[in-house]
Amino acid sequence: MSSTAFAASIAAAAGLGGAVQIAVQGRLGDRVGSIEAMATASLIGAALALAVLLVARRSLAGIGDAVSSPKWMLLGGVMSAFIILAITVAGPRIGVVATTAFLIAAQFSLAAVIDRLGWFGVERIGFSWTRVVGIALLVAGAALTLRR
């Protein structure tokens, strides 16, 4: 399997996992509280990540390297906690599809700005009319998912 096919496959699998995560986090949040559910998911994710790191690298030294990196590079952890909390709150209120749709539409919108401006050291990719129309359709589609 090529690296592109592998990357696409793992991204698709993560998308499937995201739908499951929204559904189960919402149920856990209803049962124990949204903040408690977010903290529990984060702790389980951290434990799993540490186990994978130990198996793959046989060391935790890379964490020290990561923490000593420029602080803006640690925003991924902050965003992970916020995403988990947001899906825990939104899922039971607007449904898995609508939560996913709004998450993806917002993600694409900011991703296009990040690409365009080259924020966080990414390669600059300009706006095209097809990209703008595609994002507008995603936003419209997200809004339509609120209708029951």
Side-chain angles (χ1 to χ4, degrees):
M1 177 183 285
S2 73
S3 63
T4 300
F6 176 74
S9 297
I10 199 164
L16 296 173
V20 171
Q21 184 182 25
I22 292 167
V24 299
Q25 276 301 114
R27 298 292 293 161
L28 183 60
D30 287 345
R31 183 180 181 110
V32 301
S34 297
I35 296 170
E36 293 81 356
M38 182 260 306
T40 302
S42 296
L43 287 172
I44 291 169
L48 180 58
L50 289 171
V52 170
L53 179 60
L54 280 172
V55 168
R57 302 285 190 252
R58 300 184 193 273
S59 169
L60 298 176
I63 293 173
D65 296 339
V67 172
S68 66
S69 295
K71 297 309 173 212
W72 65 267
M73 291 183 174
L74 303 178
L75 282 173
V78 174
M79 294 297 102
S80 291
F82 178 67
I83 291 165
I84 292 168
L85 180 61
I87 67 172
T88 301
V89 171
R93 287 163 180 77
I94 63 173
V96 175
V97 170
T99 300
T100 304
F102 276 93
L103 188 146
I104 291 171
Q107 190 172 29
F108 273 41
S109 298
L110 184 55
V113 172
I114 291 169
D115 275 351
R116 170 67 178 93
L117 300 176
W119 289 351
F120 310 113
V122 303
E123 180 184 339
R124 288 179 184 241
I125 301 172
F127 287 133
S128 64
W129 72 269
T130 54
R131 186 173 279 212
V132 172
V133 168
I135 292 169
L137 289 171
L138 279 168
V139 172
L144 288 172
T145 64
L146 288 173
R147 300 195 79 161
R148 294 182 185 233

